[in-house]
Amino acid sequence: MIKIRYKLAIFMLFSTLLIIIAASLYITTNLTGKPSFIFRGPNNVTVILNFSMPEFPSDVALLKIDKLNYSEAEAIHIARNLFNLTGELSVRYLNWGIAVGNEIHTVEFYYCGAVNYLVPYSCLPIPATLPSKSEARAIAERFLEKLKSYGLLPKNPKVKIEFQGVEPDIRSSMYGVITLEVSFRAYYGEMPFYGGSDDIAIIIGDEGKILGFYGMWREVKEVGKVGITVGVEEAIKRLASEHGLRSNLSKITIKQIRLAYWVGVIDRTSKYLPPIYLFEAEVIYANGSKGRAKLWIPATEIQPP
């Protein structure tokens, strides 16, 4: 009798455990959707997706770079009145745009719409009395409004410039941090601009002075649609071969996937901003070190006309 009761108790305990495990699996499946996607590529580079395979539209807006032309008088006027360049100014016409400067400072106006200005490190006040992060953001946003008044912000109403953060600039000295970098990012609708020259940042130094500006956006116009011909699963697999091997990675754990527009190195030959898959990931390198990274794969194989 005791043995029967003991066996019955064991059976009931085992049945309860099975119910708990089944419920746990049911809850996990319903919270995360599809099971995790794991792919092992060349040299055992592992790519892991711990959430449902996302779905994306079949096409997005095709963006063409709208070329701008600055006159000498216009460029000099902006350099003097907005960026406070003084003295005799020279003008240089380059492959990618026009540069206006004196012996120390230069403002660069790109045909694609981007603008660039930076005070040389040797001219920075040391030590520096810096504003708070909230004050730095307010200074930067007021400067963006000035840029708008001079017609330098993107004119396409679908292009938005959104605040990202305030961090100490990478340049430092024996006196500590001497500048703050207020960063922004350009978006076309919900898709960010991302690439080799996508910086939008205002460098703020002693007493809140503007010491540098990177406005690496693009003036664009929508000229139709472009198909998303690379599937997201294929793009994930390509991470292993294209980024894993090139960056010497052993493991890529994807945290976010979104569509973005690639803004590459500025040159006069670039005509369009192609769509890409932009991955935010935690990575482990072959030497065991860990980090976070943004990786990308083309989202289309269609070449615009």
Side-chain angles (χ1 to χ4, degrees):
M1 188 68 179
I2 294 174
K3 287 184 179 180
I4 293 174
R5 288 179 179 176
Y6 177 77
K7 289 180 179 179
L8 181 62
I10 293 295
F11 174 77
M12 291 180 66
L13 178 61
F14 182 72
S15 300
T16 303
L17 286 173
L18 286 176
I19 292 171
I20 292 172
I21 291 170
S24 175
L25 289 173
Y26 175 82
I27 292 170
T28 301
T29 302
N30 279 270
L31 285 177
T32 62
K34 297 179 182 179
S36 299
F37 178 86
I38 300 176
F39 175 75
R40 288 180 176 84
N43 288 4
N44 290 321
V45 178
T46 303
V47 182
I48 298 175
L49 179 71
N50 281 330
F51 51 89
S52 300
M53 190 73 71
E55 296 181 357
F56 293 100
S58 59
D59 58 34
V60 296
L62 175 60
L63 299 186
K64 185 176 183 179
I65 297 174
D66 204 4
K67 300 291 186 180
L68 303 178
N69 288 302
Y70 294 94
S71 68
E72 240 181 75
E74 183 181 16
I76 289 174
H77 173 75
I78 295 172
R80 286 197 186 281
N81 294 280
L82 179 59
F83 293 97
N84 300 315
L85 268 63
T86 59
E88 183 177 348
L89 300 183
S90 62
V91 177
R92 291 178 296 138
Y93 287 91
L94 304 167
N95 181 54
W96 43 258
I98 182 172
V100 178
N102 54 25
E103 293 181 353
I104 301 175
H105 308 119
T106 301
V107 183
E108 300 168 339
F109 301 92
Y110 296 81
Y111 295 127
C112 65
V115 184
N116 196 26
Y117 164 73
L118 188 65
V119 174
Y121 181 78
S122 60
C123 298
L124 298 181
I126 300 175
T129 301
L130 298 176
S132 67
K133 287 190 174 183
S134 60
E135 290 170 338
R137 177 179 178 178
I139 292 168
E141 289 176 340
R142 287 196 295 270
F143 186 71
L144 287 179
E145 286 300 314
K146 286 185 179 180
L147 288 167
K148 184 177 181 179
S149 69
Y150 280 86
L152 296 179
L153 286 187
K155 299 171 184 61
N156 190 317
K158 290 187 178 180
V159 178
K160 307 296 183 185
I161 308 298
E162 296 188 4
F163 171 75
Q164 298 292 295
V166 182
E167 298 295 337
D169 193 10
I170 58 173
R171 297 181 297 181
S172 61
S173 71
M174 61 182 293
Y175 297 97
V177 178
I178 56 176
T179 57
L180 294 175
E181 180 175 298
V182 186
S183 60
F184 298 82
R185 183 165 294 281
Y187 290 78
Y188 189 84
E190 299 298 318
M191 293 174 59
F193 289 3
Y194 178 81
S197 55
D198 67 352
D199 292 335
I200 301 176
I202 297 170
I203 310 301
I204 297 176
D206 187 51
E207 302 294 342
K209 293 184 177 67
I210 304 292
L211 299 177
F213 170 65
Y214 304 96
M216 307 306 281
W217 46 64
R218 304 292 189 275
E219 192 66 57
V220 295
K221 57 184 178 182
E222 188 172 332
V223 293
K225 296 288 185 180
V226 59
I228 303 300
T229 60
V230 177
V232 63
E233 184 172 328
E234 179 186 347
I236 292 172
K237 291 178 179 179
R238 286 172 61 179
L239 282 178
S241 57
E242 297 191 17
H243 285 282
L245 296 180
R246 185 172 60 204
S247 304
N248 202 25
L249 301 174
S250 64
K251 184 177 180 181
I252 302 170
T253 303
I254 299 168
K255 296 299 182 181
Q256 184 187 65
I257 312 173
R258 68 187 309 173
L259 286 173
Y261 285 105
W262 174 255
V263 287
V265 176
I266 292 176
D267 59 44
R268 196 150 192 161
T269 62
S270 299
K271 294 182 178 180
Y272 297 91
L273 303 186
I276 61 170
Y277 289 108
L278 180 60
F279 299 86
E280 294 188 21
E282 293 178 350
V283 298
I284 299 178
Y285 295 89
N287 63 6
S289 61
K290 299 179 180 179
R292 297 187 69 90
K294 288 186 176 181
L295 311 170
W296 68 275
I297 294 293
T300 185
E301 296 167 339
I302 298 174
Q303 297 296 323

